């Protein structure tokens, strides 16, 4: 079983529901990559369900760092007489839940920096909006589909002002099945024209800027107080809005800012 969608049944619930003969459960071991929850959130506590079904043994990869769990699920099952084994395949469990762990331990989203470059180290030609020059094509169709798959795996996607202006990107997953991430653009002085796809195609977009904070239709303006440290403010704001992961696709200056600040995992 696996947790298929936020707000719906957790992995333990789905795994248990898949067993036709429930009498087998009292003679069974359940293996979980993350400590079963012990609190009422969107769903009831999984630890209580495991106790109710009288499992003999629970094997766990990782403790849950979330403050509402943090060992409480393990203790509750042990108190009920269940044999609880921890620390099995810890590294693999952390990798599987890397976004979750980064979000709760670092208090920010899991960050992926993505770009394509030529063998001699260039991302594009040097160009200006008035040149009407298209971006340098470095990757092929298969690589573009891969990028759209990567987008579908993250909660948000971010670009800087120049990338938005020069490329007019949609930042969607149109080449791959899956949900498009929340689009984010950094535009400190609100210089981007409203004709860009980010503002005119009816999809949600957040604009980080130094001037104002309000929402209008699908566009939300989020004010940053210190543009010289925008990367840190953005991470804090995304954390408080439950954004667990983000892919940053350019341009070079934006990528460099997050890289230099150490705000990245991949």
């Amino acid at each position: 079983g696996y947790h298929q969608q936020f707000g719906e049944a957790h992995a333990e619930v789905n795994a248990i529901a898949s067993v036709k003969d429930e009498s087998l459960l009292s003679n069974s071991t359940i293996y979980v990559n993350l400590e079963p929850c012990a609190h009422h959130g969107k769903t009831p506590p999984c630890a209580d369900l495991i106790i109710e079904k009288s499992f003999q043994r629970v094997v766990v990869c990782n403790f849950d760092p979330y403050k509402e769990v943090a060992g409480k699920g393990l203790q509750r099952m042990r108190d009920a007489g269940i044999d609880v084994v921890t620390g099995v395949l810890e590294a693999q469990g952390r990798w599987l839940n890397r976004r979750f762990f980064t979000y709760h331990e670092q208090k920010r989203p899991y960050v992926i920096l993505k770009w394509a470059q030529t063998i001699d180290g260039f991302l594009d030609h040097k160009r200006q909006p008035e040149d009407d020059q298209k971006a340098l094509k470095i990757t092929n169709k298969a690589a573009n589909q891969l990028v759209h798959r990567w987008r579908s795996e993250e909660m948000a996607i971010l670009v800087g002002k120049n990338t938005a202006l020069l490329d007019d990107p949609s930042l969607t997953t149109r080449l791959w099945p899956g949900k498009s991430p929340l689009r984010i653009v950094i535009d400190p002085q609100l210089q981007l024209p409203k004709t860009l796809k980010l503002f005119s195609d009816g999809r949600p977009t957040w604009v980080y800027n130094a001037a104002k904070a309000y929402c209008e239709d699908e566009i939300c303006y989020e004010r940053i107080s210190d543009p010289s440290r925008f990367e840190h403010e953005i991470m804090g704001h995304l954390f408080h809005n439950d954004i667990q992961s983000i892919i940053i696709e350019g341009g070079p200056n934006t990528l460099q800012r997050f890289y230099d600040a150490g705000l990245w995992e991949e």
Side-chain angles (χ1 to χ4, degrees):
Y2 69 98
H3 186 190
Q4 299 176 21
Q5 187 168 319
F6 177 70
E8 295 186 358
H10 287 184
E12 296 92 328
V13 176
N14 289 329
I16 290 169
S18 74
V19 178
K20 292 181 180 179
D21 182 0
E22 283 205 4
S23 67
L24 296 171
L25 296 176
S26 61
N27 294 312
S28 298
T29 297
I30 184 167
Y31 297 84
V32 294
N33 58 69
L34 188 66
E35 175 185 356
C37 61
H39 67 296
H40 284 269
K42 297 286 184 181
T43 59
C46 291
D48 289 356
L49 179 64
I50 291 169
I51 293 168
E52 176 193 327
K53 300 301 180 183
S54 302
F55 277 91
Q56 288 192 352
R57 190 164 178 254
V58 181
V59 179
V60 182
C61 292
N62 299 113
F63 294 97
D64 188 332
Y66 180 48
K67 62 181 180 180
E68 298 293 339
V69 186
K72 297 183 183 74
L74 301 179
Q75 190 59 51
R76 188 175 297 183
M77 293 184 294
R78 286 181 172 130
D79 290 345
I82 298 173
D83 178 23
V84 178
V85 180
T86 60
V88 177
L89 300 177
E90 279 187 272
Q92 291 91 333
R94 281 193 68 88
W95 175 252
L96 186 65
N97 290 304
R98 57 195 181 277
R99 296 165 181 82
F100 175 82
F101 279 108
T102 299
Y103 179 79
H104 286 289
E105 293 174 352
Q106 303 292 328
K107 308 301 181 190
R108 63 167 176 79
Y110 185 91
V111 179
I112 298 170
L113 305 180
K114 172 261 158 187
W115 70 91
Q117 71 180 48
T118 60
I119 198 168
D120 54 348
F122 289 91
L123 277 65
D124 199 349
H125 357 254
K126 188 170 276 190
R127 54 197 174 100
Q128 298 297 328
E130 58 271 19
D131 299 339
D132 200 26
Q133 188 177 17
K134 291 184 178 180
L136 177 66
K137 290 291 184 185
I138 298 171
T139 53
N140 60 15
K141 183 178 179 181
N144 291 338
Q145 287 181 314
L146 176 62
V147 168
H148 284 225
R149 192 192 87 185
W150 287 343
R151 290 176 179 178
S152 74
E153 295 169 354
E154 311 311 328
M155 293 183 70
I157 183 169
L158 180 147
V159 295
K161 176 175 70 74
N162 289 340
T163 296
L165 189 60
L166 291 171
D167 295 350
D168 192 15
S170 296
L171 304 182
T172 64
T173 58
R174 59 198 178 279
L175 301 180
W176 191 267
K179 184 179 179 182
S180 292
L182 170 69
R183 302 181 305 193
I184 297 171
V185 62
I186 303 169
D187 184 13
Q189 304 306 321
L190 296 176
Q191 296 169 302
L192 293 174
K194 296 298 184 287
T195 53
L196 295 178
K197 295 185 183 77
L198 290 173
F199 305 124
S200 61
D201 64 4
R203 296 174 181 271
T205 301
W206 289 2
V207 185
Y208 284 101
N209 69 95
K212 60 185 180 180
Y214 77 99
C215 291
E216 184 178 68
D217 298 323
E218 294 297 319
I219 312 301
C220 280
Y221 296 90
E222 304 295 342
R223 189 173 181 275
I224 48 179
S225 59
D226 184 0
S228 69
R229 297 185 74 255
F230 68 69
E231 60 275 13
H232 296 278
E233 283 197 49
I234 289 172
M235 290 293 100
H237 183 265
L238 293 177
F239 172 77
H240 288 296
N241 282 274
D242 299 324
I243 302 296
Q244 288 197 10
S245 66
I246 186 168
I247 184 167
I248 299 175
E249 289 201 6
N253 293 334
T254 301
L255 289 163
Q256 194 70 51
R257 288 281 292 265
F258 282 90
Y259 182 87
D260 290 343
L263 296 173
W264 59 279
E265 275 66 47
E266 292 186 50

